[in-house]
Amino acid sequence: MIKAISMGRIAYDINLSVDKLPEEGTVTEFFDKGGTIGGGAGIVGCALSKWGIGVSMASVIGNDFNGTRVKKILEQMRIDCRYLEPSYDNDTPVSVTFSNSVNMMHTTYNLSDKFVSLKKFDFDFQPDLCYTDGYDAVQSKNLFERYPHAIKILDGTMVTNSVIELIRKANYVICTIPFAEQVSRLKIDVQNPTTLVNVYQKLKKKYLNTEFVITLGDRGALYCIDNQIKVSPSLKVKTVDTYGCKDLFRAAFAYGVVTGGDVEKGVKMGNIAAGLCATKKDAFDAIPTLEELKNLYEQNYQ
């Protein structure tokens, strides 16, 4: 079995569907308040496990009710929880997201105590894949350095000095437009392909040994293969909610490359997973089956 480590932020996630944000000074009641696991590392780990990868989760969660909820979900997904560390001083992060059903925009409130880094680093196996969302930058650096032969994927969303330092140690960086713009110090105009090419070339010039994928929302994703810069279009679907599409793109990309595919296969599988996610409300519930993922890949790209 292929083995993976997913490291980073895990949260208890509540996604509330609205047609507008509650007005200041008002009281709004929500009765559909079911929650599930959230956080980039949490969703990526759950998706990979559902697709048959042996996943170990590395994160700090609170020794509280929401931490118990999160761990139960992970165990139900057959994820190795030996490397979850309980914090007795800090609660499990809670994310409350208002998903606007009209304009598909999201407003998220992260309810967190101070960030706590993992204290232990004693994995007793050799992973084939190391994924990190960059939240625990210190241990992410240790992870990438300890397993040089594993495929190492960094989520390029947070722009901090410690995350930027991880770029050189990653095989792949899957980055948002703001991340790519800030690291390259160039602006992207999605209507002008030249700006995309310029940003990619600037990133590659600075980080020769790292491959970059720039996600473009409903326009798909930019990548390079055989010295050709390409854009793979997104899957055309009837969008219900785009919350979680980012994380499922990263999960499916990781699955594509760790199972022997190249960057192009990873991007296309990522677009499929993100597209399927957009047809449902919650990221966790929107994780497609492996059969759905493979069937759509064969229908669209083979």
Side-chain angles (χ1 to χ4, degrees), residues 1-8 10 37 40-50 52-60 74-75 77-85 118 121-132 143 147:
M1 175 183 284
I2 296 173
K3 296 181 179 180
I5 295 172
S6 184
M7 177 179 286
I10 298 178
I37 192 167
I43 294 298
V44 169
C46 286
L48 289 173
S49 182
K50 185 172 182 177
I53 305 296
V55 176
S56 296
M57 193 69 67
S59 184
V60 177
L74 293 175
E75 289 173 342
M77 294 297 294
R78 302 182 302 279
I79 288 176
D80 180 3
C81 294
R82 290 178 297 159
Y83 309 106
L84 285 180
E85 292 183 11
L118 286 159
F121 197 85
D122 55 357
F123 302 108
D124 61 357
F125 66 97
Q126 294 287 325
D128 304 289
L129 169 70
C130 297
Y131 171 87
T132 178
L143 182 69
Y147 301 111

Side-chain angles (χ1 to χ4, degrees), residues 29-252:
E29 289 194 49
F30 293 93
F31 296 99
D32 182 14
K33 56 181 177 55
T36 187
I37 192 167
I43 294 298
V44 169
C46 286
L48 289 173
S49 182
K50 185 172 182 177
W51 300 332
I53 305 296
V55 176
S56 296
M57 193 69 67
S59 184
V60 177
I61 58 175
N63 185 44
D64 56 8
F65 181 59
N66 286 328
T68 301
R69 284 170 154 176
V70 164
K71 188 174 181 181
K72 183 178 180 180
I73 294 170
L74 293 175
E75 289 173 342
Q76 289 173 342
M77 294 297 294
R78 302 182 302 279
I79 288 176
D80 180 3
C81 294
R82 290 178 297 159
Y83 309 106
L84 285 180
E85 292 183 11
S87 173
Y88 297 92
D89 299 317
N90 299 278
D91 293 338
T92 301
V94 175
S95 292
V96 180
T97 297
F98 293 94
S99 295
N100 190 311
S101 58
V102 177
N103 60 17
M104 303 300 171
M105 297 295 290
H106 301 95
T107 303
T108 299
Y109 298 90
N110 287 327
L111 313 179
S112 307
D113 294 332
K114 68 177 183 178
F115 179 77
V116 181
S117 178
L118 286 159
K119 294 182 175 63
K120 298 179 181 179
F121 197 85
D122 55 357
F123 302 108
D124 61 357
F125 66 97
Q126 294 287 325
D128 304 289
L129 169 70
C130 297
Y131 171 87
T132 178
D133 59 14
Y135 267 87
D136 194 339
V138 172
Q139 292 293 21
S140 295
K141 179 175 180 289
N142 291 335
L143 182 69
F144 283 180
E145 290 178 346
R146 180 168 178 176
Y147 301 111
H149 300 299
I151 294 173
K152 299 173 287 296
I153 299 177
L154 171 66
D155 177 351
T157 299
M158 295 190 305
V159 187
T160 65
N161 290 334
S162 54
V163 171
I164 291 173
E165 288 176 3
L166 291 172
I167 294 176
R168 295 188 191 280
K169 300 181 183 298
N171 299 113
Y172 301 99
V173 176
I174 306 174
C175 51
T176 61
I177 289 177
F179 185 94
E181 288 180 329
Q182 291 191 54
V183 175
S184 67
R185 298 186 178 181
L186 296 174
K187 294 295 292 183
I188 288 176
D189 177 0
V190 292
Q191 304 287 349
N192 184 353
T194 301
T195 64
L196 288 168
V197 171
N198 290 342
V199 166
Y200 179 86
Q201 290 178 336
K202 183 76 174 290
L203 292 172
K204 279 298 292 182
K205 184 176 181 180
K206 190 172 183 180
Y207 303 99
L208 292 175
N209 297 318
T210 302
E211 291 298 328
F212 292 87
V213 174
I214 304 175
T215 54
L216 308 172
D218 59 5
R219 295 176 180 273
L222 176 143
Y223 63 102
C224 184
I225 189 167
D226 298 330
N227 294 318
Q228 295 184 52
I229 297 175
K230 300 181 178 182
V231 172
S232 178
S234 61
L235 191 68
K236 301 305 178 186
V237 297
K238 183 178 179 180
T239 299
V240 172
D241 190 355
T242 58
Y243 185 66
C245 292
K246 176 180 81 71
D247 296 325
L248 284 184
F249 179 97
R250 283 150 177 73

